[in-house]
Amino acid sequence: MNKILVIGGSRYFGKGLVTLERDAGNEVTVLNRGSGPPPPGVAHLVADRDDEQGLLAALGKRTFDVVFDQVCYTPWQASLARRAFAGRTGRYVMTSTMEVYDPAPPTPEALDYAEGKRQAEAVLERESAFGVVAVRTAHVLGGGREEFTGRLAHYVERIGAGIPVAVHEAPYPTSFIHHQEIARFLHWAGLQEFTGPVNAASDGDLDVLGLAAAVGERLGRAPRHRIVCPGSDEASPFSFDRAYAMDNSRAASLGFGFGRLADWLPQAIGETATALRAAH
C-alpha cells in the first residue's frame, strides 16, 4: 500500500485518478480548496495551494510515496511545491499539457497557459528533492457532461443542428486521449521510476475534418464546414493551422499500452450527445 496525495482531483479525470488509487488499495488523500468532497474512503485536506503557510499547516507532518499535482499552472506554484514537498515525497507527477509544444498559441490566454506550464515544468525539474514526471497530456475527451470544456459538445451540437463548423483551409492533425485512459496513465506513471517529461496520447491522430466526420457518422448527419479567414476569424476547437500532434513512443517503450482513438471516440461522441439531450 502506498500513501498517495492528489492536489486537485475534484473533477473529470482527476476524480478518476483518485478512485483508481483508492481501489488499488492505497491510502489516498485529496488536497483542494474545498471545492468538493472526495469519494468515500479518501481523506480530505482543505488548503489553498498558493498559500504556503496554509498549505504547510494542512499537510502537518504527513509524508507521501507519490504526489499527483493536477493543478500546477505557474512557476510560482511549482516553486512553492518544491519547498513544501521536499522531504515529504520521493515522486512528484505533474499533469502538464501538449500545449507546451505549441509554437504559436492563438490567444494571449493560451500563451499564458502554455508558457505557465513550460515554466512550471522547468522549476520542478530543477534541483528538486524528489523525482519529477511531467505528463504532457493530449486533448482529453469522453465522459459526457463530465467533459467540462465543451469542445466535443461544440461539434455534436452544430453537426446535429446542421450548422457549419469553422475549420482552417488545410488543418493539421492533433492528438487525443480518453478521460479514463489518462487517469490510468497517471496511476501507472506513479508506480514507475522514470523521470522527466512524457507524452500521453491515444494511438492515432485526427484532424478537425476527421473529427467532424466521426461526429457526423455517429449522429447520422453529414457535417458541414466553413473555411475561416486567417487572422480575422476563429476556428472551431481542434482545428489547427500548425503541426499539433504528439509522439507517445517514450511511454510505450516504458511499458504503457495506449488504446486506439478510433476505438473509443464513437462512444465518447454518443455520451456527449446523450448529455446534451438530457440538458435540454
Side-chain angles (χ1 to χ4, degrees), residues 78 82 94 117-127:
R82 281 179 58 196
M94 170 193 168
K117 285 288 192 181
R118 292 185 195 107
Q119 293 184 22
E121 284 188 22
V123 168
L124 280 172
E125 291 172 2
R126 186 173 61 243
E127 299 178 0

Side-chain angles (χ1 to χ4, degrees), residues 103-155:
T107 64
E109 291 77 14
L111 175 60
D112 290 344
Y113 176 70
E115 186 60 25
K117 285 288 192 181
R118 292 185 195 107
Q119 293 184 22
E121 284 188 22
V123 168
L124 280 172
E125 291 172 2
R126 186 173 61 243
E127 299 178 0
S128 288
F130 39 76
V132 175
V133 178
V135 176
R136 296 172 175 172
T137 180
H139 305 296
V140 183
L141 296 179
R145 59 186 175 184
E146 291 290 316
E147 200 274 288
F148 62 93
T149 69
R151 294 177 294 184
L152 185 55
H154 172 97
Y155 290 90

Side-chain angles (χ1 to χ4, degrees), residues 7 33 48-52 55 69-83 92 94-97 100 108-126 128 132 134:
I7 305 174
R33 292 178 294 181
D48 184 341
R49 66 163 306 146
D50 292 333
D51 176 2
E52 186 164 0
L55 175 61
D69 193 341
Q70 292 286 94
V71 289
C72 185
Y73 300 111
T74 69
W76 159 251
Q77 292 174 332
S79 180
L80 191 156
R82 281 179 58 196
R83 296 191 297 271
Y92 202 94
M94 170 193 168
T95 298
S96 189
T97 173
V100 300
E109 291 77 14
L111 175 60
D112 290 344
Y113 176 70
E115 186 60 25
K117 285 288 192 181
R118 292 185 195 107
Q119 293 184 22
E121 284 188 22
V123 168
L124 280 172
E125 291 172 2
R126 186 173 61 243
S128 288
V132 175

